[in-house]
Amino acid sequence: MEKRFFQKPTIFVGEVNIKVLNIAKSLAFYQRVFGFAILEQSERKVVLSADGVQPLLILEQPEDIMAKVGRTTGLYHFAILLPRRADLANFLKHLIQTEGPSIRLGASDHYVSEALYFDDPDGNGIEVASDKPSMDWNWNNGHVDMATVALDANNLLAESDKDWDGIPKDTVMGHIHLHVADLEETENFYVNGLGFDIVTRYPGALFASTGGYHHHLGLNVWNGVGAPAPAANSVGLKWFTLVLPDEITKEKIIARLSEIGVSTETIGNSTVVKDPAGNQIQLRVSE
């Protein structure tokens, strides 16, 4: 087994924009469960933040919104990464107290992290996690050892050190996990186009990162090879951002995408691209 220390990634997930059926109901859920700061709010859109400065999650209710349809590409889950294991313990205690049996909760130990899983009121998947120390992640020939085993919830809860009083300010979006239609096309796009490294392969899934992280992206065909993209007005992912270190990196990515036959579009300060499954990505240079 090879030991590594995680280095700062060159590309990582910034914010995630999801579509919901009822903005008031969704906002009430995310405020009750997480305690986000509200950066912007309008009749059909709310921008949520952990630190009150940087957007982390955006909720939107399009006028013609329709309920989520199964067996399509799109969002599997987004992963909110808490800074400490104790924060995850505090959150689990809070979730049990506030939601109780009304929420269907999953929990896993992935060797590199510990995670809780549940859905928002519209079926958008959420993971809340904390990382184990990177010195304890095991690497073999460029692949990190990850698995899904039972989480010791009692051991986790024993680490709780305070009541949940809102999401910690240094919380980030740890990763995003997507349903895709074809793994070979997807790997070509994210590796040869965007510059990610494949760090783990599961049956029907790829996990990719930069900077030696365990994963910034999960990509699976568990909804079926060749699964169609959801309708544009369906509940689910609208877009997510990948944050780049500088303009040079962005230009190199645009050139590589062009070489593999993928076009991009400039909208405001973002370069917009869709992966082969139709998942929309906004490429933004770090400020």
Side-chain angles (χ1 to χ4, degrees), residues 225-239:
V225 174
N233 61 335
S234 169
V235 160
L237 179 68
K238 184 173 182 180
W239 49 258

Side-chain angles (χ1 to χ4, degrees), residues 169-210:
K169 291 184 177 181
D170 42 358
T171 297
V172 297
M173 193 66 69
H175 68 265
I176 191 166
H177 195 150
L178 304 170
H179 290 296
V180 299
D182 182 280
L183 285 185
E184 186 175 346
E185 289 182 350
T186 297
E187 182 170 352
N188 182 46
F189 174 84
Y190 283 100
V191 173
N192 298 322
L194 294 182
F196 281 86
D197 299 314
I198 301 298
V199 291
T200 298
R201 296 178 187 271
Y202 279 4
L206 303 169
F207 295 86
S209 75
T210 65

Side-chain angles (χ1 to χ4, degrees), residues 95-118:
L95 196 63
I96 293 169
Q97 291 171 345
T98 59
E99 305 304 299
S102 67
I103 197 164
R104 185 177 178 182
L105 182 65
S108 296
D109 183 329
H110 296 300
Y111 296 169
V112 295
S113 64
E114 293 174 297
L116 308 174
Y117 296 92
F118 53 96

Side-chain angles (χ1 to χ4, degrees), residues 2-77:
E2 177 187 349
K3 298 292 186 180
R4 297 183 182 182
F5 289 89
F6 169 53
Q7 303 297 316
K8 186 176 180 180
T10 55
I11 306 171
F12 58 92
V13 180
E15 69 234 48
V16 173
N17 183 307
I18 57 172
K19 294 167 285 183
V20 299
L21 286 174
N22 183 297
I23 194 74
K25 182 179 180 180
S26 291
L27 179 58
F29 171 83
Y30 281 98
Q31 288 296 81
R32 182 177 71 250
V33 170
F34 291 101
F36 283 110
I38 297 175
L39 289 186
E40 300 175 25
Q41 184 172 7
S42 63
E43 184 180 358
R44 292 184 175 271
K45 180 179 177 180
V46 181
V47 180
L48 301 174
S49 171
D51 64 3
V53 178
Q54 293 294 326
L56 190 69
L57 182 67
I58 301 170
L59 311 175
E60 281 199 49
Q61 180 191 332
E63 291 188 9
D64 56 349
I65 188 69
M66 59 180 282
K68 183 178 180 181
V69 176
R71 310 298 291 179
T72 64
T73 61
L75 182 69
Y76 182 46
H77 63 244

